[in-house]
């Protein structure tokens, strides 16, 4: 089983383009999408329409937009850390390099903070980097820990 | 010189008055002599007296009765009286009713020395009172003035805090505005760029040359808008970001900046620093932005096919240093000299030279916030020399 990615993003264009970019970069991990902060928390907590863990397993990596309806991205991050501690990798994907956001994200325990690239090539380059670092080389710990990386790329 | 002291002498006997006048003939006493209680009252209405010397035994209204009348009047109540009395013992009790200080008596026959010294005591008392009154009124007006100043100050403070609140609100709005630009306005742009890319990559076969060209234009317009947004964000950042000042090794900073840009390296361009640039007092982020914008312009605004040559050097000026960035580019027509530091001002068409009209505005604002100066020399077709001037760090 590949490491599951949970994308928390309300902009359907961004969801579409990121999905495309993952495909283009040859990253075949399964992807779940939560399109607002409430959904994201439901998913992580396994409640509401995400209560079936067989269908919606805990993600290995969360790609988290900050500006979200219902529950704000930073509040999602805070709740995730309360629920799952540091075992879940959370990479913030924001549209801005606003310093207050960056500082707050790291204070709340984000693993990384990335600024959404404006063009598609940049997006492909970025998801490749995410895959290489967080899914391939980086070692996590906790419930979702997986075997050491193999030479053939995406796990 | 001090003003005279007015003394009122009251006695029904002319010869007694003459004797009193000669006894009290001093330059600082101005004597008024009257022979009846009635005249005395009139004199008291006209003039303010420091002291009254009053004979007790007079026809019609005697001295004691006159004194009572004087003491009843608000205006004359505090004027001291020296009674001239023949019967020492009889008057003692009456006089004590007036209270200490305000009244005294001298027995007849007059002892010149005693009368003079008693008059002198009252005169001195009056003088002191007068000085005190002057000092008091000066004090009063000073207090009034201070109150005025205080009120004005309070008003100014009130105005200041209102203005500060207004400014804070503006800063917050600006912050919210740039946050919204960064987040909400860039999202549709990402979609435009992303989808036009996918269209070009995956549906190219269904497009003819014209269609592809239109697509390219959409893409380049979106890219341009994104650049514009980023530049405006940089500008608002320069406006509001804190700018701590510190000594900066300009030489190190400039060489590092130049090394980061592939377009500024040979064979594409020659950007060189003459000598060693000094250590200046500035803000690193601001100065980095200034230098990269100036050198970026120098390399960019070149005639077609020209090889950009940019020379950077420092010119010491007293405690400051002027840093020059000189290019061999297209130069600036004198009619445009007033415009180039303005926001969104572009002398050249964007189709000719890619730009947003924000770069030099950022330089201007950043230099201003570092308490420096900026300027340039240029003529059309003769290249440009931009400069910025900052304080040198003490070596």
């Amino acid at each position: 089983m590949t490491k599951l990615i949970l994308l928390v993003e309300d902009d359907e264009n961004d969801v579409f383009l990121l999905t495309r970019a993952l495909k283009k970069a040859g990253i075949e991990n399964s992807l779940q999408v939560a399109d607002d902060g409430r959904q994201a928390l439901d998913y992580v907590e396994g409640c509401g329409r995400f209560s079936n863990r067989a269908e919606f397993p805990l993600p290995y990596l969360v790609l988290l937009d900050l500006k979200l309806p219902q529950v704000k991205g930073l509040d999602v991050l805070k709740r995730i850390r309360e629920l799952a501690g540091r075992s879940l990798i959370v990479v913030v994907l924001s549209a801005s390099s606003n310093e207050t956001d960056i500082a707050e994200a790291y204070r709340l325990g984000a693993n990384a903070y990335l600024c959404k690239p404006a063009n598609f090539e940049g997006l492909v380059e970025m998801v490749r980097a995410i895959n290489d670092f967080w899914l391939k080389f980086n070692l996590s710990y906790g419930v979702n820990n997986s075997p050491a990386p193999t030479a053939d790329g995406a796990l | 010189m001090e003003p005279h002291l007015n003394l009122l002498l009251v006695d029904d006997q002319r010869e007694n008055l003459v004797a009193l006048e000669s006894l009290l003939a001093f330059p600082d006493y101005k004597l008024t002599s009257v022979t009846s209680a009635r005249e005395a009252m009139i004199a008291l209405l006209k003039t303010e007296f420091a002291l009254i010397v009053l004979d007790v035994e007079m026809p019609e209204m005697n001295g004691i009765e006159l004194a009572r009348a004087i003491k009843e009047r608000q205006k004359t109540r505090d004027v001291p009286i020296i009674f001239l009395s023949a019967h020492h013992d009889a008057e003692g009790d009456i006089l004590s009713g007036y209270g200490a200080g305000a009244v005294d008596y001298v027995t007849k026959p007059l002892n010149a020395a005693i009368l003079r010294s008693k008059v002198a005591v009252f005169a001195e008392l009056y003088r002191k009172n007068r000085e005190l009154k002057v000092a008091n009124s000066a004090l009063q007006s000073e207090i009034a003035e201070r109150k005025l100043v205080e009120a004005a100050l309070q008003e100014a403070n009130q105005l200041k805090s209102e203005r500060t609140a207004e400014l804070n609100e503006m800063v917050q709005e600006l912050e919210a505005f740039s946050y919204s630009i960064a987040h909400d306005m860039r999202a549709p742009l990402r979609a435009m760029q992303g989808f036009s890319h996918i269209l070009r990559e995956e549906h190219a076969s269904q497009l003819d040359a014209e269609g592809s060209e239109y697509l390219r234009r959409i893409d380049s317009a979106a890219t341009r808008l994104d650049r514009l947004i980023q530049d405006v964000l940089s500008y608002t950042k320069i406006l509001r970001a804190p700018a701590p000042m510190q000594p900066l090794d300009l030489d190190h900073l400039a060489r590092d900046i130049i090394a980061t840009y592939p377009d500024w390296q040979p064979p594409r361009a020659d950007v060189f620093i003459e000598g060693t640039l000094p250590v200046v007092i500035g803000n690193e982020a601001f100065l980095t932005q200034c230098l990269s914008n100036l050198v970026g312009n120098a390399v960019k605004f070149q005639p077609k096919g020209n090889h950009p040559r940019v020379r950077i050097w420092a010119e010491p000026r007293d405690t400051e240093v002027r840093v020059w960035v000189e290019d061999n580019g297209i130069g600036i027509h004198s009619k445009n000299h007033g415009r180039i530091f303005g926001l969104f001002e572009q002398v050249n068409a964007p189709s000719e030279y890619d730009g947003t009209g924000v770069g030099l505005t950022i330089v201007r604002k950043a230099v201003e916030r570092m308490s420096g100066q900026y300027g340039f020399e240029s003529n059309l077709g003769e290249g440009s020399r931009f400069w910025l001037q900052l304080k040198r760090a003490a070596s």
Side-chain angles (χ1 to χ4, degrees):
Chain A
M1 200 180 94
T2 62
K3 293 169 176 172
L4 177 72
I5 300 170
L6 173 64
L7 172 64
V8 186
E9 173 63 78
D10 64 312
D11 186 318
E12 54 178 338
N13 288 329
D14 278 348
V15 172
F16 180 89
L17 292 170
L18 195 105
T19 313
R20 271 302 175 102
L22 286 169
K23 198 173 135 197
K24 172 119 189 179
I27 299 161
E28 286 162 354
N29 296 52
S30 36
L31 180 79
Q32 292 284 353
V33 178
D35 51 21
D36 64 49
R38 186 69 260 158
Q39 303 269 323
L41 288 181
D42 281 356
Y43 191 106
V44 174
E45 288 177 52
C47 56
R49 71 179 181 93
F50 304 107
S51 53
N52 183 356
R53 270 282 178 247
E55 197 183 344
F56 304 106
L58 262 180
Y60 179 81
L61 168 73
V62 178
L63 296 177
L64 178 65
D65 184 28
L66 284 191
K67 218 180 173 197
L68 293 169
Q70 309 291 341
V71 181
K72 286 186 298 175
L74 288 173
D75 292 332
V76 172
L77 172 61
K78 191 176 165 195
R79 187 75 187 123
I80 286 177
R81 286 296 175 242
E82 283 166 8
L83 289 168
R86 302 278 308 170
S87 66
L88 209 55
I89 296 165
V90 179
V91 171
V92 171
L93 271 189
S94 173
S96 87
S97 52
N98 180 287
E99 274 140 34
T100 319
D101 280 352
I102 296 174
E104 195 59 10
Y106 281 116
R107 195 184 68 79
L108 292 171
N111 292 85
Y113 190 108
L114 302 175
C115 198
K116 290 177 186 171
N119 56 41
F120 191 71
E121 291 99 323
L123 191 63
V124 173
E125 197 186 336
M126 192 189 77
V127 296
R128 269 206 189 99
I130 292 174
N131 180 57
D132 286 345
F133 189 89
W134 291 111
L135 300 179
K136 220 162 120 185
F137 290 111
N138 183 65
L139 296 179
S140 178
Y141 75 96
V143 284
N144 280 334
N145 215 353
S146 53
T150 53
D152 58 303
L155 293 168
Chain B
M1 211 190 103
E2 281 213 28
H4 292 291
L5 293 181
N6 289 314
L7 265 51
L8 180 63
L9 312 177
V10 190
D11 200 316
D12 58 319
Q13 305 292 317
R14 279 251 170 244
E15 58 273 25
N16 286 351
L17 281 176
V18 172
L20 276 173
E21 279 167 9
S22 68
L23 265 174
L24 297 172
F26 294 103
D28 46 348
Y29 296 159
K30 188 169 180 254
L31 306 174
T32 304
S33 303
V34 295
T35 53
S36 71
R38 215 174 63 85
E39 282 175 73
M41 290 305 282
I42 290 166
L44 279 164
L45 283 177
K46 284 189 198 157
T47 315
E48 189 193 327
F49 288 96
L51 172 68
I52 303 167
V53 181
L54 178 57
D55 185 27
V56 174
E57 275 179 68
M58 289 192 296
E60 294 169 39
M61 187 187 251
N62 70 25
I64 302 298
E65 288 163 335
L66 175 59
R68 194 175 299 128
I70 289 170
K71 296 292 172 190
E72 271 167 10
R73 279 188 60 218
Q74 163 99 31
K75 218 181 144 210
T76 52
R77 179 181 298 158
D78 297 325
V79 182
I81 300 171
I82 298 176
F83 288 102
L84 304 180
S85 159
H87 314 287
H88 176 196
D89 294 334
E91 265 92 44
D93 292 339
I94 304 165
L95 298 182
S96 65
Y98 291 109
V103 174
D104 203 346
Y105 62 87
V106 177
T107 47
K108 286 179 176 177
L110 291 177
N111 178 316
I114 288 175
L115 182 68
R116 277 185 192 142
S117 80
K118 288 201 172 186
V119 168
V121 167
F122 282 114
E124 186 57 24
L125 193 69
Y126 182 82
R127 254 194 220 104
K128 284 274 185 286
N129 264 333
R130 193 164 57 188
E131 278 166 22
L132 218 60
K133 259 186 207 158
V134 170
N136 198 36
S137 103
L139 212 62
Q140 289 292 346
S141 68
E142 199 183 312
I143 286 169
E145 205 170 306
R146 277 190 193 198
K147 273 188 182 157
L148 272 177
V149 171
E150 225 162 80
L153 211 66
Q154 209 163 17
E155 201 177 326
N157 270 337
Q158 171 82 13
L159 214 67
K160 197 177 129 197
S161 63
E162 273 169 25
R163 190 84 186 107
T164 308
E166 249 170 60
L167 274 175
N168 280 341
E169 201 184 314
M170 268 173 68
V171 167
Q172 268 167 21
E173 271 169 20
L174 184 67
E175 204 116 333
F177 174 69
S178 45
Y179 193 82
S180 151
I181 287 182
H183 276 272
D184 306 335
M185 298 198 189
R186 289 186 73 198
L189 260 177
R190 281 196 306 275
M192 281 168 70
Q193 287 184 302
F195 285 105
S196 70
H197 182 91
I198 291 168
L199 211 52
R200 201 167 52 239
E201 290 266 293
E202 296 174 21
H203 303 270
S205 60
Q206 285 155 268
L207 284 170
D208 57 9
E210 210 179 336
S212 297
E213 168 60 12
Y214 295 158
L215 199 54
R216 190 196 63 74
R217 288 200 185 195
I218 291 175
D219 199 34
S220 103
T223 306
R224 196 174 141 61
L225 184 53
D226 191 51
R227 283 262 315 277
L228 204 57
I229 287 174
Q230 293 202 35
D231 280 356
V232 170
L233 287 176
S234 309
Y235 177 58
T236 55
K237 209 174 204 171
I238 293 281
L239 286 181
R240 68 200 159 87
M245 304 282 278
Q246 63 182 74
L248 294 172
D249 185 343
L250 194 58
D251 200 71
H252 200 84
L253 189 74
R255 286 177 204 277
D256 273 359
I257 295 168
I258 292 166
T260 6
Y261 290 84
D263 282 356
W264 300 358
Q265 315 301 323
R268 285 187 244 184
D270 278 308
V271 180
F272 60 96
I273 294 171
E274 213 173 73
T276 307
L277 303 178
V279 179
V280 297
I281 303 291
N283 174 274
E284 187 168 350
F286 283 15
L287 203 49
T288 302
Q289 185 106 52
C290 287
L291 285 175
S292 41
N293 286 9
L294 288 182
V295 178
N297 280 353
V299 172
K300 182 165 68 182
F301 291 103
Q302 291 282 341
K304 268 209 168 60
N306 204 39
H307 179 74
R309 291 179 62 82
V310 182
R311 194 165 70 98
I312 301 166
W313 75 97
E315 176 199 340
R317 291 190 158 221
D318 293 327
T319 58
E320 304 195 335
V321 66
R322 186 173 282 195
V323 185
W324 291 87
V325 178
E326 183 191 67
D327 64 54
N328 60 337
I330 56 174
I332 301 155
H333 195 289
S334 56
K335 70 173 184 192
N336 293 321
H337 281 196
R339 288 172 50 196
I340 62 164
F341 283 102
L343 187 60
F344 297 131
E345 289 283 7
Q346 281 179 289
V347 172
N348 305 97
S351 57
E352 216 179 335
Y353 292 98
D354 197 22
T356 57
V358 182
L360 284 178
T361 314
I362 289 175
V363 171
R364 170 171 66 89
K365 209 69 221 176
V367 171
E368 278 171 4
R369 289 209 54 200
M370 291 189 290
S371 311
Q373 291 165 274
Y374 60 91
F376 71 102
E377 293 167 3
S378 183
N379 277 311
L380 196 62
E382 293 172 16
S384 306
R385 275 207 296 264
F386 280 82
W387 57 267
L388 49 91
Q389 195 167 317
L390 293 168
K391 277 218 159 24
R392 259 187 303 171
S395 46

